mmCIF file of all heavy atoms in Angstrom:
data_model
loop_
_atom_site.group_PDB
_atom_site.id
_atom_site.type_symbol
_atom_site.label_atom_id
_atom_site.label_comp_id
_atom_site.label_asym_id
_atom_site.label_seq_id
_atom_site.Cartn_x
_atom_site.Cartn_y
_atom_site.Cartn_z
ATOM 1 N N GLU A 7 -13.869 -42.755 -4.815
ATOM 2 C CA GLU A 7 -14.362 -41.387 -4.735
ATOM 3 C C GLU A 7 -13.552 -40.549 -3.799
ATOM 4 O O GLU A 7 -13.214 -41.007 -2.722
ATOM 5 C CB GLU A 7 -15.804 -41.409 -4.333
ATOM 6 C CG GLU A 7 -16.523 -40.067 -4.448
ATOM 7 C CD GLU A 7 -17.999 -40.200 -4.102
ATOM 8 O OE1 GLU A 7 -18.274 -40.541 -2.905
ATOM 9 O OE2 GLU A 7 -18.847 -39.944 -4.965
ATOM 10 N N THR A 8 -13.249 -39.313 -4.225
ATOM 11 C CA THR A 8 -12.623 -38.336 -3.337
ATOM 12 C C THR A 8 -13.616 -37.244 -3.093
ATOM 13 O O THR A 8 -14.244 -36.724 -4.038
ATOM 14 C CB THR A 8 -11.348 -37.742 -4.001
ATOM 15 O OG1 THR A 8 -10.409 -38.792 -4.234
ATOM 16 C CG2 THR A 8 -10.725 -36.689 -3.152
ATOM 17 N N VAL A 9 -13.784 -36.864 -1.826
ATOM 18 C CA VAL A 9 -14.773 -35.877 -1.455
ATOM 19 C C VAL A 9 -14.050 -34.656 -0.833
ATOM 20 O O VAL A 9 -13.266 -34.844 0.110
ATOM 21 C CB VAL A 9 -15.844 -36.435 -0.429
ATOM 22 C CG1 VAL A 9 -16.809 -35.390 -0.071
ATOM 23 C CG2 VAL A 9 -16.508 -37.622 -1.093
ATOM 24 N N LEU A 10 -14.372 -33.465 -1.314
ATOM 25 C CA LEU A 10 -13.827 -32.226 -0.771
ATOM 26 C C LEU A 10 -14.970 -31.450 -0.180
ATOM 27 O O LEU A 10 -15.878 -31.063 -0.888
ATOM 28 C CB LEU A 10 -13.093 -31.436 -1.874
ATOM 29 C CG LEU A 10 -11.919 -32.035 -2.554
ATOM 30 C CD1 LEU A 10 -11.368 -31.114 -3.647
ATOM 31 C CD2 LEU A 10 -10.814 -32.424 -1.569
ATOM 32 N N SER A 11 -14.901 -31.199 1.155
ATOM 33 C CA SER A 11 -15.911 -30.417 1.804
ATOM 34 C C SER A 11 -15.687 -28.937 1.535
ATOM 35 O O SER A 11 -14.613 -28.525 1.107
ATOM 36 C CB SER A 11 -15.937 -30.677 3.316
ATOM 37 O OG SER A 11 -14.721 -30.200 3.881
ATOM 38 N N ASN A 12 -16.723 -28.131 1.833
ATOM 39 C CA ASN A 12 -16.588 -26.690 1.647
ATOM 40 C C ASN A 12 -15.485 -26.091 2.451
ATOM 41 O O ASN A 12 -14.786 -25.174 2.015
ATOM 42 C CB ASN A 12 -17.905 -25.978 1.943
ATOM 43 C CG ASN A 12 -17.872 -24.518 1.673
ATOM 44 O OD1 ASN A 12 -17.624 -23.688 2.582
ATOM 45 N ND2 ASN A 12 -18.145 -24.136 0.426
ATOM 46 N N ASP A 13 -15.255 -26.579 3.704
ATOM 47 C CA ASP A 13 -14.178 -26.093 4.509
ATOM 48 C C ASP A 13 -12.805 -26.338 3.880
ATOM 49 O O ASP A 13 -11.904 -25.477 3.943
ATOM 50 C CB ASP A 13 -14.213 -26.805 5.879
ATOM 51 C CG ASP A 13 -15.479 -26.388 6.684
ATOM 52 O OD1 ASP A 13 -16.023 -25.327 6.388
ATOM 53 O OD2 ASP A 13 -15.848 -27.157 7.578
ATOM 54 N N VAL A 14 -12.635 -27.507 3.274
ATOM 55 C CA VAL A 14 -11.395 -27.822 2.591
ATOM 56 C C VAL A 14 -11.204 -26.945 1.372
ATOM 57 O O VAL A 14 -10.115 -26.437 1.089
ATOM 58 C CB VAL A 14 -11.355 -29.299 2.219
ATOM 59 C CG1 VAL A 14 -10.123 -29.616 1.328
ATOM 60 C CG2 VAL A 14 -11.374 -30.180 3.419
ATOM 61 N N ILE A 15 -12.280 -26.741 0.586
ATOM 62 C CA ILE A 15 -12.207 -25.892 -0.607
ATOM 63 C C ILE A 15 -11.787 -24.491 -0.268
ATOM 64 O O ILE A 15 -10.948 -23.848 -0.935
ATOM 65 C CB ILE A 15 -13.529 -25.941 -1.339
ATOM 66 C CG1 ILE A 15 -13.865 -27.348 -1.847
ATOM 67 C CG2 ILE A 15 -13.523 -24.962 -2.511
ATOM 68 C CD1 ILE A 15 -15.236 -27.507 -2.424
ATOM 69 N N GLU A 16 -12.370 -23.959 0.848
ATOM 70 C CA GLU A 16 -12.071 -22.548 1.204
ATOM 71 C C GLU A 16 -10.647 -22.417 1.708
ATOM 72 O O GLU A 16 -10.050 -21.340 1.577
ATOM 73 C CB GLU A 16 -13.062 -22.118 2.286
ATOM 74 C CG GLU A 16 -14.469 -21.904 1.807
ATOM 75 C CD GLU A 16 -15.347 -21.379 2.903
ATOM 76 O OE1 GLU A 16 -14.949 -21.397 4.067
ATOM 77 O OE2 GLU A 16 -16.505 -20.944 2.574
ATOM 78 N N SER A 17 -10.056 -23.486 2.211
ATOM 79 C CA SER A 17 -8.709 -23.371 2.798
ATOM 80 C C SER A 17 -7.598 -23.680 1.756
ATOM 81 O O SER A 17 -6.450 -23.363 2.010
ATOM 82 C CB SER A 17 -8.537 -24.374 3.970
ATOM 83 O OG SER A 17 -8.714 -25.738 3.525
ATOM 84 N N LEU A 18 -8.016 -24.214 0.583
ATOM 85 C CA LEU A 18 -6.967 -24.541 -0.439
ATOM 86 C C LEU A 18 -6.433 -23.244 -1.044
ATOM 87 O O LEU A 18 -7.182 -22.398 -1.447
ATOM 88 C CB LEU A 18 -7.575 -25.409 -1.544
ATOM 89 C CG LEU A 18 -7.964 -26.855 -1.129
ATOM 90 C CD1 LEU A 18 -8.657 -27.537 -2.309
ATOM 91 C CD2 LEU A 18 -6.679 -27.636 -0.799
ATOM 92 N N PRO A 19 -5.096 -23.160 -1.168
ATOM 93 C CA PRO A 19 -4.473 -21.970 -1.814
ATOM 94 C C PRO A 19 -4.519 -22.049 -3.328
ATOM 95 O O PRO A 19 -3.468 -22.072 -3.999
ATOM 96 C CB PRO A 19 -3.042 -21.999 -1.265
ATOM 97 C CG PRO A 19 -2.784 -23.451 -1.073
ATOM 98 C CD PRO A 19 -4.105 -24.118 -0.689
ATOM 99 N N VAL A 20 -5.736 -22.169 -3.909
ATOM 100 C CA VAL A 20 -5.893 -22.280 -5.366
ATOM 101 C C VAL A 20 -6.957 -21.270 -5.813
ATOM 102 O O VAL A 20 -7.680 -20.680 -5.015
ATOM 103 C CB VAL A 20 -6.274 -23.691 -5.779
ATOM 104 C CG1 VAL A 20 -5.178 -24.682 -5.428
ATOM 105 C CG2 VAL A 20 -7.583 -24.122 -5.129
ATOM 106 N N THR A 21 -7.032 -21.123 -7.114
ATOM 107 C CA THR A 21 -8.062 -20.247 -7.678
ATOM 108 C C THR A 21 -9.461 -20.858 -7.458
ATOM 109 O O THR A 21 -9.555 -22.064 -7.309
ATOM 110 C CB THR A 21 -7.868 -20.019 -9.201
ATOM 111 O OG1 THR A 21 -7.916 -21.318 -9.818
ATOM 112 C CG2 THR A 21 -6.515 -19.372 -9.469
ATOM 113 N N ARG A 22 -10.466 -20.040 -7.447
ATOM 114 C CA ARG A 22 -11.812 -20.505 -7.196
ATOM 115 C C ARG A 22 -12.429 -21.009 -8.516
ATOM 116 O O ARG A 22 -13.490 -20.511 -8.949
ATOM 117 C CB ARG A 22 -12.653 -19.368 -6.600
ATOM 118 C CG ARG A 22 -12.266 -19.082 -5.164
ATOM 119 C CD ARG A 22 -12.622 -17.660 -4.766
ATOM 120 N NE ARG A 22 -14.026 -17.342 -4.894
ATOM 121 C CZ ARG A 22 -14.948 -17.500 -3.909
ATOM 122 N NH1 ARG A 22 -14.563 -18.009 -2.804
ATOM 123 N NH2 ARG A 22 -16.205 -17.163 -4.099
ATOM 124 N N SER A 23 -11.808 -21.982 -9.094
ATOM 125 C CA SER A 23 -12.304 -22.579 -10.307
ATOM 126 C C SER A 23 -12.181 -24.076 -10.204
ATOM 127 O O SER A 23 -11.391 -24.627 -9.413
ATOM 128 C CB SER A 23 -11.494 -22.124 -11.554
ATOM 129 O OG SER A 23 -10.144 -22.548 -11.436
ATOM 130 N N TYR A 24 -12.953 -24.826 -11.012
ATOM 131 C CA TYR A 24 -12.898 -26.268 -10.896
ATOM 132 C C TYR A 24 -11.580 -26.838 -11.347
ATOM 133 O O TYR A 24 -11.128 -27.883 -10.859
ATOM 134 C CB TYR A 24 -14.081 -26.922 -11.637
ATOM 135 C CG TYR A 24 -13.865 -27.034 -13.127
ATOM 136 C CD1 TYR A 24 -13.426 -28.205 -13.678
ATOM 137 C CD2 TYR A 24 -14.170 -25.965 -13.994
ATOM 138 C CE1 TYR A 24 -13.263 -28.345 -15.079
ATOM 139 C CE2 TYR A 24 -14.018 -26.070 -15.356
ATOM 140 C CZ TYR A 24 -13.571 -27.273 -15.873
ATOM 141 O OH TYR A 24 -13.391 -27.352 -17.245
ATOM 142 N N THR A 25 -10.902 -26.154 -12.271
ATOM 143 C CA THR A 25 -9.589 -26.668 -12.666
ATOM 144 C C THR A 25 -8.560 -26.506 -11.564
ATOM 145 O O THR A 25 -7.645 -27.324 -11.416
ATOM 146 C CB THR A 25 -9.135 -25.875 -13.923
ATOM 147 O OG1 THR A 25 -9.268 -24.471 -13.723
ATOM 148 C CG2 THR A 25 -9.924 -26.287 -15.149
ATOM 149 N N GLY A 26 -8.713 -25.445 -10.755
ATOM 150 C CA GLY A 26 -7.829 -25.314 -9.617
ATOM 151 C C GLY A 26 -8.047 -26.423 -8.571
ATOM 152 O O GLY A 26 -7.139 -26.890 -7.953
ATOM 153 N N ILE A 27 -9.339 -26.759 -8.405
ATOM 154 C CA ILE A 27 -9.687 -27.818 -7.448
ATOM 155 C C ILE A 27 -9.072 -29.166 -7.869
ATOM 156 O O ILE A 27 -8.571 -29.970 -7.105
ATOM 157 C CB ILE A 27 -11.194 -27.929 -7.239
ATOM 158 C CG1 ILE A 27 -11.737 -26.625 -6.694
ATOM 159 C CG2 ILE A 27 -11.548 -29.080 -6.367
ATOM 160 C CD1 ILE A 27 -11.244 -26.261 -5.298
ATOM 161 N N MET A 28 -9.128 -29.427 -9.198
ATOM 162 C CA MET A 28 -8.674 -30.714 -9.725
ATOM 163 C C MET A 28 -7.195 -30.982 -9.396
ATOM 164 O O MET A 28 -6.794 -32.138 -9.258
ATOM 165 C CB MET A 28 -8.891 -30.787 -11.226
ATOM 166 C CG MET A 28 -10.335 -30.938 -11.589
ATOM 167 S SD MET A 28 -10.449 -30.987 -13.420
ATOM 168 C CE MET A 28 -12.226 -31.002 -13.590
ATOM 169 N N THR A 29 -6.388 -29.917 -9.360
ATOM 170 C CA THR A 29 -4.961 -30.148 -9.125
ATOM 171 C C THR A 29 -4.675 -30.693 -7.740
ATOM 172 O O THR A 29 -3.539 -31.141 -7.481
ATOM 173 C CB THR A 29 -4.193 -28.804 -9.258
ATOM 174 O OG1 THR A 29 -4.714 -27.779 -8.351
ATOM 175 C CG2 THR A 29 -4.398 -28.259 -10.711
ATOM 176 N N ASN A 30 -5.670 -30.745 -6.863
ATOM 177 C CA ASN A 30 -5.445 -31.291 -5.489
ATOM 178 C C ASN A 30 -6.022 -32.687 -5.363
ATOM 179 O O ASN A 30 -6.061 -33.207 -4.231
ATOM 180 C CB ASN A 30 -6.156 -30.337 -4.475
ATOM 181 C CG ASN A 30 -5.538 -28.967 -4.401
ATOM 182 O OD1 ASN A 30 -4.589 -28.758 -3.691
ATOM 183 N ND2 ASN A 30 -6.059 -28.073 -5.214
ATOM 184 N N ILE A 31 -6.423 -33.298 -6.434
ATOM 185 C CA ILE A 31 -6.988 -34.645 -6.355
ATOM 186 C C ILE A 31 -6.054 -35.592 -7.114
ATOM 187 O O ILE A 31 -5.731 -35.408 -8.263
ATOM 188 C CB ILE A 31 -8.379 -34.667 -7.022
ATOM 189 C CG1 ILE A 31 -9.301 -33.709 -6.246
ATOM 190 C CG2 ILE A 31 -8.963 -36.091 -6.990
ATOM 191 C CD1 ILE A 31 -10.673 -33.560 -6.890
ATOM 192 N N ALA A 32 -5.606 -36.628 -6.374
ATOM 193 C CA ALA A 32 -4.697 -37.593 -6.942
ATOM 194 C C ALA A 32 -5.297 -38.270 -8.128
ATOM 195 O O ALA A 32 -6.473 -38.616 -8.146
ATOM 196 C CB ALA A 32 -4.323 -38.632 -5.915
ATOM 197 N N SER A 33 -4.479 -38.478 -9.196
ATOM 198 C CA SER A 33 -4.791 -39.139 -10.431
ATOM 199 C C SER A 33 -5.589 -38.337 -11.359
ATOM 200 O O SER A 33 -5.781 -38.716 -12.556
ATOM 201 C CB SER A 33 -5.515 -40.472 -10.199
ATOM 202 O OG SER A 33 -6.891 -40.288 -9.932
ATOM 203 N N LEU A 34 -6.074 -37.156 -10.955
ATOM 204 C CA LEU A 34 -6.895 -36.301 -11.842
ATOM 205 C C LEU A 34 -5.999 -35.209 -12.476
ATOM 206 O O LEU A 34 -5.217 -34.560 -11.765
ATOM 207 C CB LEU A 34 -8.027 -35.648 -11.035
ATOM 208 C CG LEU A 34 -9.347 -35.339 -11.840
ATOM 209 C CD1 LEU A 34 -9.923 -36.696 -12.314
ATOM 210 C CD2 LEU A 34 -10.296 -34.641 -10.921
ATOM 211 N N MET A 35 -6.194 -34.988 -13.766
ATOM 212 C CA MET A 35 -5.359 -34.043 -14.457
ATOM 213 C C MET A 35 -6.210 -33.164 -15.396
ATOM 214 O O MET A 35 -6.790 -33.637 -16.362
ATOM 215 C CB MET A 35 -4.325 -34.794 -15.321
ATOM 216 C CG MET A 35 -3.432 -33.872 -16.161
ATOM 217 S SD MET A 35 -2.464 -32.692 -15.151
ATOM 218 C CE MET A 35 -1.345 -33.875 -14.380
#
């Protein structure tokens, strides 16, 4: 399991969508 906290999500330079979050998780496409 990979866990992303709210602080990490807010700091990521990606769109605020679940597909944008997925690009930062290893092995997930």
Side-chain angles (χ1 to χ4, degrees):
E7 188 177 64
T8 299
V9 180
L10 299 178
S11 66
N12 183 265
D13 294 338
V14 173
I15 295 171
E16 290 182 348
S17 63
L18 289 175
V20 297
T21 59
R22 288 156 59 90
S23 65
Y24 80 96
T25 49
I27 298 297
M28 287 180 186
T29 59
N30 295 272
I31 300 173
S33 80
L34 210 62
M35 177 62 68

